[in-house]
Amino acid sequence: MTSSIIILGLVTFQRVGELLLARRNTARLLARGATEAGARHYPVMVALHFAWLSSLWIWGHSQPVAPVWLCGFIVLQCLRAWIVLSLGTRWTTRIVVLPGAPLVATGPYRFLSHPNYAVVVCEIAVLPLALGLPLIALVFTALNAWILSIRIRAENRALTYVSRAEAIE
C-alpha cells in the first residue's frame, strides 16, 4: 500500500465522517426551528467535492507524496478541526440559520467571517499538489471558486435576513 493510498483513505474517511456529523447537526438544528438557505446549489457542491476526491483516487493513488505540500495539508486539517470545534453543534455542510442564535465569534471566526471556506479553498489546491497533480488543483480550484461565489452570497443573505428580522422584533 502506497502512502498516497493511505492519505486518500484517511481523507475519504474524514469526509464521510463529516457528512454524517453534518447530517446529525442539521437535523437537530432544523428540529430547533432553524431554516436552510441555498439548498438548490448544495447538490452541485457535493458533486464537485465528490468529483475532486474521485479524481485524486483515480490519478493520485500511485503518486509519490510531496512532503512540504503534505505538511501544508496537515496544517489545514488542524484548522478544519478548529473550525468544527468552534461551531460545535452548529457546524454543518449546509447553510442552516438558527433564528435568535448569535453568530459564532470564537475560534477562527474572530479573524474571518468564513474561515471554513478559506480552508476548503486551500485544501482543494494543496492535496492535489501533494500528489503531484497540478492540473487537478487548477481545475477544481476554478470550479470551487465558482460554487463558493454562489454559496457565500447565499450564506451572507441568510445571515443578513435573520439579523434584520431579529432587529425588527
Side-chain angles (χ1 to χ4, degrees):
M1 186 177 310
T2 65
S3 56
S4 54
I5 288 177
I6 293 169
I7 291 164
L8 291 170
L10 289 170
V11 170
T12 302
F13 181 75
Q14 174 195 27
R15 295 308 201 258
V16 169
E18 287 177 355
L19 286 174
L20 294 173
L21 175 62
R23 181 179 290 168
R24 185 185 73 189
N25 286 347
T26 298
R28 288 179 177 175
L29 287 165
L30 293 174
R32 291 175 52 200
T35 57
E36 181 179 357
R40 284 187 23 216
H41 75 264
Y42 184 75
V44 176
M45 187 183 74
V46 170
L48 176 102
H49 285 262
F50 178 79
W52 171 75
L53 192 53
S54 296
S55 69
L56 293 177
W57 273 105
I58 292 166
W59 289 289
H61 71 278
S62 62
Q63 291 289 104
V65 177
V68 172
W69 287 113
L70 179 59
C71 288
F73 188 75
I74 291 168
V75 168
L76 291 169
Q77 298 320 289
C78 293
L79 292 172
R80 175 183 277 278
W82 188 26
I83 289 163
V84 172
L85 290 171
S86 296
L87 288 173
T89 58
R90 291 172 61 185
W91 182 83
T92 181
T93 56
R94 295 178 179 269
I95 300 170
V96 179
V97 180
L98 185 61
L103 293 178
V104 173
T106 61
Y109 291 88
R110 289 177 291 175
F111 312 110
L112 291 171
S113 57
H114 298 290
N116 47 329
Y117 301 137
V119 167
V120 170
V121 164
C122 294
E123 286 174 335
I124 293 238
V126 170
L127 187 54
L129 293 173
L131 298 174
L133 302 168
L135 185 58
I136 289 175
L138 181 65
V139 167
F140 283 96
T141 295
L143 291 170
N144 189 54
W146 166 72
I147 197 68
L148 282 181
S149 71
I150 296 166
R151 184 168 179 85
I152 291 172
R153 280 195 309 262
E155 187 169 321
N156 286 341
R157 274 193 308 270
L159 293 173
T160 300
Y161 175 77
V162 168
S163 297
R164 284 187 188 149
E166 290 171 359
I168 292 171
E169 292 175 0

